[in-house]
Structure formats: C-alpha cells, structure tokens
Amino acid sequence: MEHAKKHPHAKLIRLGIAETTQPIPQLITSAMAQVAIEVSSFSKLAGFSGTRLGWTVIPEELLNKCILSTCFNGASNIAQAGGLSCLSRKGYQDLKNTIEYYMENAKILTDTLKSLNSNVQEGKNAPYLGVHFAGSKSWDVFTHILENAHILTVPGRGFGPGGEEHVRISSFPSRESILEACARLKNVLQDHQ
C-alpha cells in the first residue's frame, strides 16, 4: 500500500471473472480502505452484459476529495433488482456456482483443443477462449468451423488487427452443448491444424 500512497494515480486493474470470487486478505483490504476506490460491474461477474450496472466504493477519507458524476440516467429497475439479488448471500453463492460451471466448460474446451495441438489462450479467468491458428485468417477459420462443425465462433479480427489468426469461443452453452461441440471440433480441426 506504500506504493499506492506514493503514487495516488496508480491503478489496479482486474480482468475476468474467476479471480474476482477469491477473498482479499484482511491486511490488504485494511490498507486499501485508506487509498483505494473500487469500481466494478455486473457485466462479467453476473452476465449482465449491456445493462451498464455496477458499483463504486469510496472510502470516507477520500469522499470529500472526489468529484462524483454519472454519465447516464441509470440502469432499469429490473437490472437494479437483479444486481441487488446478486449481492445477497444466496445470490452471491449462486453466482459462484454459475462461474464454476462455466469455468469447467472452459476447461473442457481447453483440454479438447490442446489435445488437437491448438494454441489456446485465455479461459482461466474468463469464460472465453482465444484460439490461435497461425497463418490463417480469422474469418477463414470462423467460416471453416461454422460450415463443417456448425459451431458459431467469433473471428478475432473483430477485436482489431491483433486478433487476426484467432477465433474466440464461448464457454457459456450448456455442458451437453459443450461436450457436443468438443466432439465436432475434434472431427473438424484434426485436418485444419
């Protein structure tokens, strides 16, 4: 925390969902309470993509030093009710269980793709896998998988030039669908590598 006090503009950035379910040790949270402003959202944590619902926690010591403002009129009542439900004891436990389920789906997909010698990236702290196909255009790989395995992926080029040669695969389907997708990918990608 000394670093944060010396460098008040330093930021801690968390990406993904898996590590957000781990408790932060009390020693760290006590020190952070003096200097940290937490900003988070339900987009990844609870699958609330597009609802623009989140929260900000500001220590009292910093409250009078902050200028607060909102950039839009607010989330809908139903989104707010859903957010409050996620923060209840039962809701939070349900979130943890759901995250574990989708992360297990990601592991199943990762293991399958690695068994095919695919270069799999991501999938440890987010329910998405990036798969690198060296020398291939992402739209060509997307089309090959769609036409031959009937699986919808996302061409990496949509994420910018660095996404070329990649496709993104989601682990959000049901376990049954994930297992079926793995079987299809095995059939289709054995010849594509």
Side-chain angles (χ1 to χ4, degrees):
M1 291 318 323
E2 289 305 312
H3 178 79
K5 289 177 183 177
K6 286 181 188 174
H7 306 281
H9 300 294
K11 297 176 182 131
L12 171 66
I13 299 172
R14 261 198 179 144
L15 302 174
I17 60 171
E19 78 271 20
T20 61
T21 63
Q22 301 302 315
I24 299 172
Q26 179 61 36
L27 176 65
I28 295 172
T29 55
S30 309
M32 287 173 62
Q34 301 167 24
V35 295
I37 297 175
E38 177 184 346
V39 179
S40 196
S41 81
F42 291 98
S43 294
K44 298 272 188 300
L45 179 66
F48 279 30
S49 300
T51 60
R52 305 297 181 251
L53 181 66
W55 66 88
T56 303
V57 179
I58 303 172
E60 282 190 49
E61 297 86 2
L62 297 179
L63 193 55
N64 61 355
K65 298 176 185 175
C66 295
I67 299 173
L68 305 174
S69 131
T70 59
C71 298
F72 71 110
N73 291 334
S76 68
N77 289 345
I78 195 163
Q80 292 178 44
L84 287 172
S85 177
C86 290
L87 295 175
S88 71
R89 277 198 175 103
K90 181 181 179 338
Y92 190 70
Q93 185 58 51
D94 289 346
L95 275 179
K96 286 173 63 173
N97 294 341
T98 300
I99 289 168
E100 287 174 16
Y101 178 86
Y102 290 127
M103 295 312 296
E104 180 61 25
N105 280 354
K107 183 180 181 326
I108 291 167
L109 280 167
T110 298
D111 291 347
T112 297
L113 291 163
K114 285 187 175 182
S115 76
L116 298 168
N117 296 318
S118 295
N119 183 357
V120 182
Q121 302 154 347
E122 306 171 33
K124 289 187 178 178
N125 291 314
Y128 303 103
L129 282 68
V131 187
H132 183 231
F133 293 88
S136 299
K137 295 188 180 220
S138 65
W139 277 98
D140 293 343
V141 176
F142 163 83
T143 302
H144 178 74
I145 293 172
L146 180 62
E147 290 178 353
N148 295 288
H150 308 288
I151 296 172
L152 187 62
T153 61
V154 178
R157 182 73 173 131
F159 297 98
E164 194 60 88
E165 298 185 354
H166 294 79
V167 293
R168 187 180 200 190
I169 302 176
S170 170
S171 68
F172 280 128
S174 69
R175 183 67 43 82
E176 180 182 354
S177 294
I178 290 292
L179 295 172
E180 175 66 24
C182 288
R184 292 182 190 184
L185 288 168
K186 283 181 183 179
N187 290 331
V188 170
L189 294 181
Q190 285 177 354
D191 302 327
H192 196 270
Q193 296 296 326

